[in-house]
Amino acid sequence: LTSFGYAAVQFSIGAIAQWAPSLIWRMSQVLCIWEGCVPYSDSASSVRFGIIVLISGAIGTISGSELSKFISRWTQQADCIVCGFGLLLAAPFIYLCFLLFSYNLNIGWVMLFLGNFFTSSTWTSAGAILLYVVVPERRATAQAFQSIILHLAGDASSPFIIGAVSDEIYHVLNKHYDEVFSLAFSLQYSLYLTTFVAVFGAGLYLWSTFTVERNIQTVKEDVFTSHVIHIRDTPDHSLNQDIIRIDESDSEYEHDDTSHETDRLLKVT
């Protein structure tokens, strides 16, 4: 569930990163035809977009990480909750961003900042979930498969899909409107798709809140039952008779009382 939710994040981010600067440039041309102003150049819209995404992304990533740490004091579902509600909050701002760029560019920039802020708040949590729902021996393989899913279903395919949808809409609009208008609004309508994908991803993350605690417990049980360590024939004679045992009540390894190392706890996580 969380891998496909993560793919939804990548889908939206990939499409926005590829096409949003072009949308802003095209919308500035439309608005300046109506209002008689000077439109953005293609490079100017890309630079402004990059600055806003950089700042909002950095703030959002740090904020999401700290929020997850705070919520984790009370529940193991913290990362799933942050990702789910982060995407839910991002979706309306992403929609308003594309909508308002056709009316007022300055307000559109504000919506873009907020949309990317909430989307970026999911980054650290989305990456962390996989690490504690898969046993250590299989994490590398799980991450490899997750990376394939993320890119194939996410940022590798989304620019192509949005571009293809935009082309189809353009052919319809161009029969009734001029080329500048048709290019701008066909891209706007196609980018609305990222909003629905973000909501879909949010639903997957919120669904995973019902299963993540059970998955975490399964991983812990597997680790604790397969990593019992017996210390034998060590150079340190004080450890020769020590047996590390599992304390099921707190899931910690403890030394036998006969050792001077009794105050030491070994955790397997």
Side-chain angles (χ1 to χ4, degrees):
L1 290 175
T2 57
S3 291
F4 286 106
Y6 201 177
V9 176
Q10 294 279 17
F11 183 98
S12 298
I13 291 294
I16 293 170
Q18 176 69 33
W19 291 114
S22 296
L23 173 68
I24 297 164
W25 172 56
R26 294 177 186 180
M27 283 301 179
S28 72
Q29 292 180 314
V30 172
L31 289 174
C32 288
I33 289 174
W34 294 343
E35 300 175 4
C37 58
V38 178
Y40 290 149
S41 65
D42 192 12
S43 59
S45 62
S46 297
V47 170
R48 295 189 184 192
F49 174 83
I51 292 172
I52 288 178
V53 168
L54 175 64
I55 296 173
S56 61
I59 298 173
T61 301
I62 295 171
S63 300
S65 176
E66 293 303 315
L67 179 60
S68 178
K69 291 178 184 178
F70 179 75
I71 298 175
S72 64
R73 298 176 184 177
W74 296 280
T75 177
Q76 293 178 314
Q77 303 167 326
D79 289 322
C80 296
I81 292 172
V82 169
C83 290
F85 284 101
L87 284 179
L88 274 182
L89 290 171
F93 289 111
I94 293 173
Y95 176 84
L96 289 173
C97 158
F98 299 138
L99 175 65
L100 294 175
F101 271 130
S102 60
Y103 294 97
N104 188 301
L105 293 176
N106 292 327
I107 299 177
W109 288 121
V110 174
M111 295 299 106
L112 174 63
F113 182 96
L114 293 173
N116 193 63
F117 169 83
F118 287 113
T119 303
S120 299
S121 68
T122 67
W123 284 122
T124 53
S125 296
I129 293 171
L130 182 71
L131 299 180
Y132 53 71
V133 297
V134 178
V135 293
E137 294 86 351
R138 300 171 189 166
R139 284 174 184 166
T141 302
Q143 286 183 314
F145 278 107
Q146 186 185 61
S147 295
I148 294 173
I149 294 172
L150 296 184
H151 295 300
L152 286 181
D155 55 350
S157 59
S158 62
F160 171 79
I161 293 172
I162 297 300
V165 173
S166 177
D167 287 344
E168 294 301 318
I169 298 174
Y170 168 78
H171 293 313
V172 175
L173 292 179
N174 199 37
K175 296 177 181 179
H176 308 284
Y177 304 99
D178 61 36
E179 184 174 2
V180 174
F181 183 95
S182 299
L183 285 171
F185 282 89
S186 62
L187 186 54
Q188 181 194 51
Y189 296 153
S190 64
L191 280 169
Y192 286 146
L193 179 62
T194 59
T195 302
F196 298 103
V197 174
V199 172
F200 175 73
L204 292 178
Y205 275 118
L206 294 177
W207 187 3
S208 70
T209 60
F210 297 103
T211 61
V212 67
E213 289 183 319
R214 183 172 68 250
N215 293 337
I216 292 172
Q217 185 60 34
T218 300
V219 170
K220 285 183 177 180
E221 291 174 356
D222 183 88
V223 171
F224 295 149
T225 55
S226 62
H227 291 78
V228 178
I229 305 172
H230 296 278
I231 301 178
R232 298 284 190 236
D233 300 324
T234 63
D236 188 346
H237 296 292
S238 66
L239 299 179
N240 283 344
Q241 302 301 320
D242 288 356
I243 298 178
I244 298 177
R245 58 187 175 80
I246 297 174
D247 186 342
E248 295 181 353
S249 63
D250 58 8
S251 302
E252 295 176 338
Y253 286 140
E254 299 177 347
H255 282 294
D256 188 88
D257 289 338
T258 60
S259 171
H260 69 277
E261 297 282 335
T262 54
D263 59 341
R264 188 166 158 229
L265 299 177
L266 301 178
K267 291 185 178 181
V268 177
T269 57

